[in-house]
Each structure stands twice: as structure tokens, then as C-alpha cells.
Short mmCIF file of all heavy atoms in Angstrom, two decimals:
data_model
loop_
_atom_site.label_atom_id
_atom_site.label_comp_id
_atom_site.label_asym_id
_atom_site.label_seq_id
_atom_site.Cartn_x
_atom_site.Cartn_y
_atom_site.Cartn_z
N LEU A 26 -138.95 -3.21 -0.15
CA LEU A 26 -140.08 -4.14 -0.22
C LEU A 26 -139.62 -5.57 0.07
O LEU A 26 -140.32 -6.34 0.74
CB LEU A 26 -140.74 -4.07 -1.60
CG LEU A 26 -141.50 -2.77 -1.90
CD1 LEU A 26 -141.91 -2.72 -3.35
CD2 LEU A 26 -142.73 -2.66 -1.00
N SER A 27 -138.43 -5.93 -0.43
CA SER A 27 -137.90 -7.26 -0.16
C SER A 27 -137.63 -7.44 1.33
O SER A 27 -137.89 -8.53 1.89
CB SER A 27 -136.62 -7.47 -0.96
OG SER A 27 -136.05 -8.73 -0.67
N PHE A 28 -137.15 -6.38 1.98
CA PHE A 28 -136.91 -6.45 3.42
C PHE A 28 -138.23 -6.66 4.17
O PHE A 28 -138.34 -7.52 5.05
CB PHE A 28 -136.24 -5.17 3.90
CG PHE A 28 -136.13 -5.07 5.41
CD1 PHE A 28 -135.16 -5.76 6.10
CD2 PHE A 28 -137.04 -4.30 6.12
CE1 PHE A 28 -135.08 -5.68 7.48
CE2 PHE A 28 -136.97 -4.21 7.49
CZ PHE A 28 -135.98 -4.91 8.19
N LEU A 29 -139.24 -5.88 3.82
CA LEU A 29 -140.54 -6.02 4.49
C LEU A 29 -141.15 -7.39 4.24
O LEU A 29 -141.83 -7.95 5.11
CB LEU A 29 -141.49 -4.92 3.99
CG LEU A 29 -141.11 -3.48 4.33
CD1 LEU A 29 -142.11 -2.51 3.69
CD2 LEU A 29 -141.07 -3.25 5.83
N ASP A 30 -140.88 -7.92 3.06
CA ASP A 30 -141.51 -9.18 2.67
C ASP A 30 -140.80 -10.40 3.26
O ASP A 30 -141.44 -11.39 3.62
CB ASP A 30 -141.51 -9.28 1.14
CG ASP A 30 -142.72 -10.03 0.61
OD1 ASP A 30 -143.71 -10.13 1.34
OD2 ASP A 30 -142.67 -10.50 -0.53
N ASN A 31 -139.48 -10.33 3.36
CA ASN A 31 -138.71 -11.53 3.70
C ASN A 31 -137.83 -11.43 4.94
O ASN A 31 -137.46 -12.47 5.51
CB ASN A 31 -137.81 -11.91 2.50
CG ASN A 31 -138.60 -12.15 1.24
OD1 ASN A 31 -139.54 -12.92 1.24
ND2 ASN A 31 -138.22 -11.48 0.15
N ASN A 32 -137.44 -10.23 5.34
CA ASN A 32 -136.44 -10.10 6.39
C ASN A 32 -136.92 -9.32 7.62
O ASN A 32 -136.10 -8.94 8.46
CB ASN A 32 -135.18 -9.42 5.83
CG ASN A 32 -134.61 -10.17 4.65
OD1 ASN A 32 -134.66 -9.68 3.52
ND2 ASN A 32 -134.08 -11.35 4.89
N LEU A 33 -138.20 -9.08 7.71
CA LEU A 33 -138.72 -8.35 8.87
C LEU A 33 -138.51 -9.20 10.12
O LEU A 33 -138.86 -10.38 10.14
CB LEU A 33 -140.21 -8.05 8.67
CG LEU A 33 -140.80 -6.89 9.48
CD1 LEU A 33 -140.15 -5.57 9.09
CD2 LEU A 33 -142.30 -6.83 9.27
N PRO A 34 -137.92 -8.64 11.18
CA PRO A 34 -137.69 -9.43 12.41
C PRO A 34 -138.97 -10.00 12.98
O PRO A 34 -140.06 -9.42 12.82
CB PRO A 34 -137.06 -8.40 13.37
CG PRO A 34 -136.46 -7.37 12.47
CD PRO A 34 -137.37 -7.27 11.29
N GLU A 35 -138.86 -11.12 13.65
CA GLU A 35 -140.03 -11.80 14.18
C GLU A 35 -140.75 -10.98 15.25
O GLU A 35 -141.95 -11.18 15.48
CB GLU A 35 -139.64 -13.15 14.77
CG GLU A 35 -139.14 -14.14 13.72
CD GLU A 35 -138.83 -15.49 14.32
OE1 GLU A 35 -138.97 -15.62 15.55
OE2 GLU A 35 -138.44 -16.41 13.57
N ASN A 36 -140.03 -10.08 15.92
CA ASN A 36 -140.68 -9.29 16.98
C ASN A 36 -141.31 -8.02 16.42
O ASN A 36 -141.74 -7.15 17.17
CB ASN A 36 -139.66 -8.92 18.06
CG ASN A 36 -138.55 -8.02 17.53
OD1 ASN A 36 -138.26 -8.04 16.34
ND2 ASN A 36 -137.95 -7.23 18.41
N CYS A 37 -141.38 -7.91 15.09
CA CYS A 37 -141.93 -6.71 14.47
C CYS A 37 -143.22 -7.05 13.73
O CYS A 37 -143.27 -8.01 12.94
CB CYS A 37 -140.91 -6.10 13.51
SG CYS A 37 -141.47 -4.55 12.77
N TRP A 38 -144.24 -6.27 13.99
CA TRP A 38 -145.52 -6.40 13.29
C TRP A 38 -145.66 -5.22 12.34
O TRP A 38 -145.26 -4.11 12.65
CB TRP A 38 -146.69 -6.42 14.28
CG TRP A 38 -146.78 -7.71 15.04
CD1 TRP A 38 -145.98 -8.13 16.05
CD2 TRP A 38 -147.73 -8.75 14.83
NE1 TRP A 38 -146.35 -9.37 16.50
CE2 TRP A 38 -147.44 -9.77 15.76
CE3 TRP A 38 -148.79 -8.91 13.96
CZ2 TRP A 38 -148.17 -10.94 15.83
CZ3 TRP A 38 -149.53 -10.08 14.02
CH2 TRP A 38 -149.23 -11.09 14.95
N LEU A 39 -146.27 -5.49 11.21
CA LEU A 39 -146.41 -4.46 10.17
C LEU A 39 -147.89 -4.25 9.86
O LEU A 39 -148.63 -5.20 9.63
CB LEU A 39 -145.68 -4.89 8.90
CG LEU A 39 -145.86 -4.00 7.66
CD1 LEU A 39 -145.19 -2.65 7.88
CD2 LEU A 39 -145.28 -4.69 6.42
N ILE A 40 -148.30 -2.99 9.89
CA ILE A 40 -149.63 -2.62 9.43
C ILE A 40 -149.46 -1.66 8.27
O ILE A 40 -148.81 -0.61 8.41
CB ILE A 40 -150.47 -1.96 10.55
CG1 ILE A 40 -150.74 -2.96 11.67
CG2 ILE A 40 -151.77 -1.42 9.98
CD1 ILE A 40 -151.56 -2.39 12.80
N ALA A 41 -149.99 -2.03 7.12
CA ALA A 41 -149.83 -1.21 5.92
C ALA A 41 -151.19 -0.86 5.34
O ALA A 41 -152.12 -1.68 5.36
CB ALA A 41 -149.01 -1.97 4.87
N THR A 42 -151.31 0.37 4.88
CA THR A 42 -152.50 0.78 4.14
C THR A 42 -152.07 0.97 2.69
O THR A 42 -151.01 1.55 2.42
CB THR A 42 -153.09 2.09 4.69
OG1 THR A 42 -152.14 3.15 4.50
CG2 THR A 42 -153.42 1.95 6.15
N ALA A 43 -152.88 0.48 1.77
CA ALA A 43 -152.46 0.55 0.37
C ALA A 43 -153.62 0.21 -0.54
O ALA A 43 -154.57 -0.47 -0.15
CB ALA A 43 -151.31 -0.41 0.11
N ARG A 44 -153.52 0.71 -1.75
CA ARG A 44 -154.43 0.25 -2.79
C ARG A 44 -153.96 -1.07 -3.37
O ARG A 44 -154.71 -1.76 -4.03
CB ARG A 44 -154.50 1.30 -3.92
CG ARG A 44 -155.26 2.56 -3.58
CD ARG A 44 -155.52 3.34 -4.85
NE ARG A 44 -156.32 4.52 -4.60
CZ ARG A 44 -156.93 5.22 -5.55
NH1 ARG A 44 -156.80 4.84 -6.80
NH2 ARG A 44 -157.63 6.28 -5.27
N VAL A 45 -152.70 -1.39 -3.17
CA VAL A 45 -152.14 -2.61 -3.74
C VAL A 45 -151.38 -3.35 -2.64
O VAL A 45 -150.90 -2.75 -1.69
CB VAL A 45 -151.18 -2.29 -4.91
CG1 VAL A 45 -151.91 -1.58 -6.02
CG2 VAL A 45 -150.01 -1.44 -4.45
N HIS A 46 -151.30 -4.69 -2.78
CA HIS A 46 -150.65 -5.50 -1.74
C HIS A 46 -149.23 -5.84 -2.16
O HIS A 46 -148.93 -6.94 -2.60
CB HIS A 46 -151.46 -6.76 -1.45
CG HIS A 46 -151.82 -7.54 -2.67
ND1 HIS A 46 -151.04 -8.57 -3.15
CD2 HIS A 46 -152.85 -7.43 -3.53
CE1 HIS A 46 -151.60 -9.09 -4.22
NE2 HIS A 46 -152.70 -8.41 -4.48
N LYS A 47 -148.33 -4.89 -2.01
CA LYS A 47 -146.95 -5.12 -2.43
C LYS A 47 -146.19 -6.05 -1.48
O LYS A 47 -145.12 -6.53 -1.83
CB LYS A 47 -146.21 -3.78 -2.55
CG LYS A 47 -146.58 -3.00 -3.82
CD LYS A 47 -145.61 -1.87 -4.07
CE LYS A 47 -145.87 -1.22 -5.41
NZ LYS A 47 -144.85 -0.20 -5.73
N VAL A 48 -146.68 -6.24 -0.30
CA VAL A 48 -146.08 -7.22 0.62
C VAL A 48 -146.95 -8.46 0.59
O VAL A 48 -148.15 -8.39 0.85
CB VAL A 48 -145.99 -6.64 2.05
CG1 VAL A 48 -145.46 -7.70 3.00
CG2 VAL A 48 -145.09 -5.42 2.07
N ARG A 49 -146.32 -9.60 0.30
CA ARG A 49 -147.13 -10.80 0.05
C ARG A 49 -146.94 -11.89 1.10
O ARG A 49 -147.79 -12.73 1.27
CB ARG A 49 -146.81 -11.36 -1.34
CG ARG A 49 -147.25 -10.43 -2.47
CD ARG A 49 -147.00 -11.05 -3.81
NE ARG A 49 -145.58 -11.14 -4.11
CZ ARG A 49 -145.09 -11.66 -5.23
NH1 ARG A 49 -145.91 -12.16 -6.12
NH2 ARG A 49 -143.79 -11.70 -5.45
N ASN A 50 -145.81 -11.93 1.77
CA ASN A 50 -145.56 -13.00 2.74
C ASN A 50 -146.15 -12.67 4.11
O ASN A 50 -146.08 -11.53 4.57
CB ASN A 50 -144.06 -13.26 2.88
CG ASN A 50 -143.48 -13.92 1.64
OD1 ASN A 50 -144.20 -14.57 0.89
ND2 ASN A 50 -142.20 -13.73 1.41
N PHE A 51 -146.68 -13.69 4.77
CA PHE A 51 -147.21 -13.53 6.13
C PHE A 51 -148.21 -12.38 6.22
O PHE A 51 -148.16 -11.56 7.13
CB PHE A 51 -146.05 -13.31 7.12
CG PHE A 51 -144.93 -14.28 6.96
CD1 PHE A 51 -143.73 -13.88 6.39
CD2 PHE A 51 -145.09 -15.60 7.34
CE1 PHE A 51 -142.69 -14.79 6.22
CE2 PHE A 51 -144.06 -16.51 7.18
CZ PHE A 51 -142.86 -16.11 6.62
N VAL A 52 -149.11 -12.33 5.24
CA VAL A 52 -150.04 -11.20 5.17
C VAL A 52 -151.43 -11.66 5.56
O VAL A 52 -151.90 -12.71 5.12
CB VAL A 52 -150.07 -10.60 3.75
CG1 VAL A 52 -151.21 -9.61 3.61
CG2 VAL A 52 -148.76 -9.90 3.46
N TYR A 53 -152.07 -10.86 6.40
CA TYR A 53 -153.50 -11.03 6.67
C TYR A 53 -154.20 -9.82 6.07
O TYR A 53 -154.18 -8.73 6.65
CB TYR A 53 -153.80 -11.13 8.16
CG TYR A 53 -155.28 -11.22 8.45
CD1 TYR A 53 -155.97 -12.42 8.29
CD2 TYR A 53 -156.00 -10.11 8.85
CE1 TYR A 53 -157.32 -12.51 8.53
CE2 TYR A 53 -157.36 -10.18 9.09
CZ TYR A 53 -158.01 -11.39 8.93
OH TYR A 53 -159.37 -11.47 9.16
#
């Protein structure tokens, strides 16, 4: 989760489905 939140490379986009928002940075 820390990797997804803070260290995801700039050329990578993340789409997550969840009941909860465990990723908080750079989230739409």
C-alpha cells in the first residue's frame, strides 16, 4: 500500500475498485 501510495512510477496509472480508499495520494 505504501508503494502504491508514494512510490508508483510517474508513467504508471492506477485504477482501483474498493469499498475503502486505502490509497490516498494523487487520487481522483
Side-chain angles (χ1 to χ4, degrees):
L26 290 171
S27 177
F28 172 79
L29 295 177
D30 212 20
N31 302 307
N32 303 111
L33 202 64
E35 294 183 358
N36 64 334
C37 184
W38 287 74
L39 173 68
I40 294 180
T42 64
R44 287 193 176 195
V45 299
H46 51 93
K47 284 194 172 185
V48 176
R49 293 184 290 180
N50 289 335
F51 312 106
V52 169
Y53 176 78

